[in-house]
Amino acid sequence: MTETTHERRTRRAQDRLVDVGGDVLVLPPGRNLQYLTGFVEEQGDRLLLLVVPQTGDPVFLVPDLYAEQVRGTWVPAVRTWSDGEDATAALSALFEDLGVGPDAHVVVDGTTHARFTLAVESALGDPTLSLAESVLGPLRVRKDEVELAALRAAGDLADGVLDAVREAGADAVGRTESDLAWEIERRLREAGGEELAFPVIVGSGPNGAMPHHTHGDREIAPGDPVVLDFGARVDGYPGDQTRTVVLAGDPPAAFREVHGVVREAQAAAVDAVEPGVRAGAVDAAAREVIEAAGYGDRFVHRTGHGVGLDVHEEPYLVGGSDRELEPGMVFSVEPGVYLPGEFGVRIEDLVVVTGNGCERLNHTDRGWR
Ligand code: ZN
Ligand code: ZN
């Protein structure tokens, strides 16, 4: 990703900051900061912030030990503070130099640890705080070509690993969920994944009926439906794909029907995606198929979530949402039916909204064999 991409995003964020009446945008390490600078770090115990005024260049305020790293970003101005110094005083001086007054409207990242939010408050005195979603949400929700290339690559990576698991077939029977999950993780990493997008889900038999069961020591038995939901990051962007397979043997009597219903619901929802359609209408398209088949009360979650630097972000495909879909939005379409004590079925692909419909980012077989 070029430095001009990050700078261009920051300039657009400054325009939006003005639009929402904010005086300054303050970001700790996190996905918003990564989006504007490419700098990736976790929030730690030391104050580290990017301070973005309405106009002019942003300024990094960082502990000494990070100075070299943030100088590798496009942001020209870097201020440092040393262990033993008062970081809040350094922040106070920075605000003053930027002309940010004590009662300024400060737009803060929603993920900011409370102690850093309090530091921002005390560095100013009596600021008004609001959340950065209003500034960065509309920018991040529409992916550019660089982002789409990464998301396509992450989709291909997940597809390839799913194919490999499917090919293992009967060889995977008798192994524990955790053992198979570890193999999936290893394959994702060996094929170029940077890190898991989220813990690998291997939900065999009744465990598949719990949508967020990850994996455990249950051995996969012949005939078990197995929910496989995983992805890894490529160039910073995650994959997220689900297939429900039977690796060997005959599945429970109800499984064939349920799998067919979920597959039909997923296809109906994908078909409903196009610019201008409401997110809630895509959810409804999936839900109608499942309700008509009599499993409405077993579809216990929304139909999908946006995917970008965050694995769960806007837009959410949830009942009643009147959010309009726009070209460049990327989200999952993942209806499921869960029969407690028996099995679960979920089928998930990521899609990107195009000018007249959508493009799937996952292509591997959706069947259960
Ligand atoms: Zn998933
Ligand atoms: Zn998902």
Side-chain angles (χ1 to χ4, degrees), residues 70-153:
V70 298
R71 285 198 176 97
T73 71
W74 78 272
V75 177
V78 177
R79 290 199 187 191
T80 62
W81 61 275
S82 309
D83 285 349
E85 283 179 2
D86 181 351
T88 305
L91 180 58
S92 201
L94 173 56
F95 281 138
E96 199 170 327
D97 292 349
L98 291 173
V100 178
D103 60 352
H105 174 183
V106 183
V107 179
V108 296
D109 193 308
T111 69
T112 310
H113 290 175
R115 62 172 170 273
F116 300 135
T117 307
L118 293 177
V120 168
E121 275 198 304
S122 80
L124 283 168
D126 188 26
T128 300
L129 302 180
S130 67
L131 292 177
E133 173 64 22
S134 64
V135 171
L136 288 158
L139 305 185
R140 284 181 52 185
V141 81
R142 293 180 68 152
K143 275 59 183 178
D144 61 32
E145 281 306 320
V146 175
E147 295 178 288
L148 290 176
L151 286 159
R152 283 191 191 100

Side-chain angles (χ1 to χ4, degrees), residues 5-363:
T5 301
H6 292 128
E7 179 173 2
R8 190 170 62 243
R9 290 173 181 171
T10 304
R11 299 306 174 196
R12 290 180 65 201
Q14 287 179 302
D15 292 342
R16 289 224 29 100
L17 180 63
V18 172
D19 290 345
V20 304
D23 294 309
V24 65
L25 171 67
V26 177
L27 302 177
R31 300 303 177 187
N32 284 326
L33 182 60
Q34 183 181 356
Y35 186 72
L36 296 187
T37 68
F39 178 68
V40 181
E41 184 51 285
E42 306 277 312
Q43 291 184 65
D45 57 322
R46 297 180 174 95
L47 185 80
L48 189 163
L49 297 171
L50 182 72
V51 179
V52 187
Q54 285 186 342
T55 57
D57 286 332
V59 181
F60 260 119
L61 177 65
V62 305
D64 266 334
L65 69 166
Y66 281 99
E68 200 59 31
Q69 267 170 279
V70 298
R71 285 198 176 97
T73 71
W74 78 272
V75 177
V78 177
R79 290 199 187 191
T80 62
W81 61 275
S82 309
D83 285 349
E85 283 179 2
D86 181 351
T88 305
L91 180 58
S92 201
L94 173 56
F95 281 138
E96 199 170 327
D97 292 349
L98 291 173
V100 178
D103 60 352
H105 174 183
V106 183
V107 179
V108 296
D109 193 308
T111 69
T112 310
H113 290 175
R115 62 172 170 273
F116 300 135
T117 307
L118 293 177
V120 168
E121 275 198 304
S122 80
L124 283 168
D126 188 26
T128 300
L129 302 180
S130 67
L131 292 177
E133 173 64 22
S134 64
V135 171
L136 288 158
L139 305 185
R140 284 181 52 185
V141 81
R142 293 180 68 152
K143 275 59 183 178
D144 61 32
E145 281 306 320
V146 175
E147 295 178 288
L148 290 176
L151 286 159
R152 283 191 191 100
D156 289 345
L157 177 69
D159 280 355
V161 174
L162 197 287
D163 288 344
V165 173
R166 201 188 282 276
E167 277 165 27
D171 292 344
V173 172
R175 296 173 65 180
T176 65
E177 294 172 346
S178 294
D179 185 38
L180 188 56
W182 171 243
E183 181 186 331
I184 288 168
E185 178 170 356
R186 184 176 56 76
R187 286 180 178 275
L188 287 167
R189 295 296 300 270
E190 283 177 357
E194 290 149 8
E195 60 179 332
L196 291 181
F198 51 89
V200 171
I201 293 176
V202 178
S204 67
N207 288 342
M210 298 177 275
H212 277 181
H213 165 82
T214 53
H215 50 82
D217 57 9
R218 186 179 184 281
E219 285 181 9
I220 297 167
D224 272 349
V226 184
V227 177
L228 301 167
D229 184 353
F230 56 81
R233 288 182 185 266
V234 176
D235 291 335
Y237 286 78
D240 182 9
Q241 176 219 58
T242 307
R243 295 290 182 266
T244 303
V245 301
V246 178
L247 293 161
D250 291 324
F255 175 78
R256 289 163 202 264
E257 183 203 341
V258 171
H259 192 278
V261 168
V262 173
R263 190 168 175 176
E264 189 189 331
Q266 207 253 359
V270 171
D271 283 348
V273 175
E274 61 178 280
V277 163
R278 313 277 177 182
V282 179
D283 180 83
R287 212 163 290 279
E288 278 165 16
V289 172
I290 291 173
E291 280 172 1
Y295 294 103
D297 60 339
R298 301 300 183 197
F299 179 15
V300 291
H301 54 72
R302 63 194 172 209
T303 293
H305 54 87
V307 174
L309 286 174
D310 282 304
V311 183
H312 285 188
E313 59 177 44
E314 294 283 348
Y316 292 99
L317 304 184
V318 59
S321 169
D322 58 9
R323 172 131 203 183
E324 273 189 34
L325 302 183
E326 302 167 40
M329 286 181 170
V330 173
F331 46 80
S332 69
V333 178
E334 52 176 309
V337 168
Y338 307 91
L339 304 182
E342 297 180 58
F343 61 84
V345 176
R346 181 167 65 258
I347 300 173
E348 171 179 32
D349 292 310
L350 300 189
V351 302
V352 53
V353 183
T354 60
N356 59 3
C358 74
E359 168 198 340
R360 290 184 196 251
L361 303 184
N362 299 104
H363 307 283

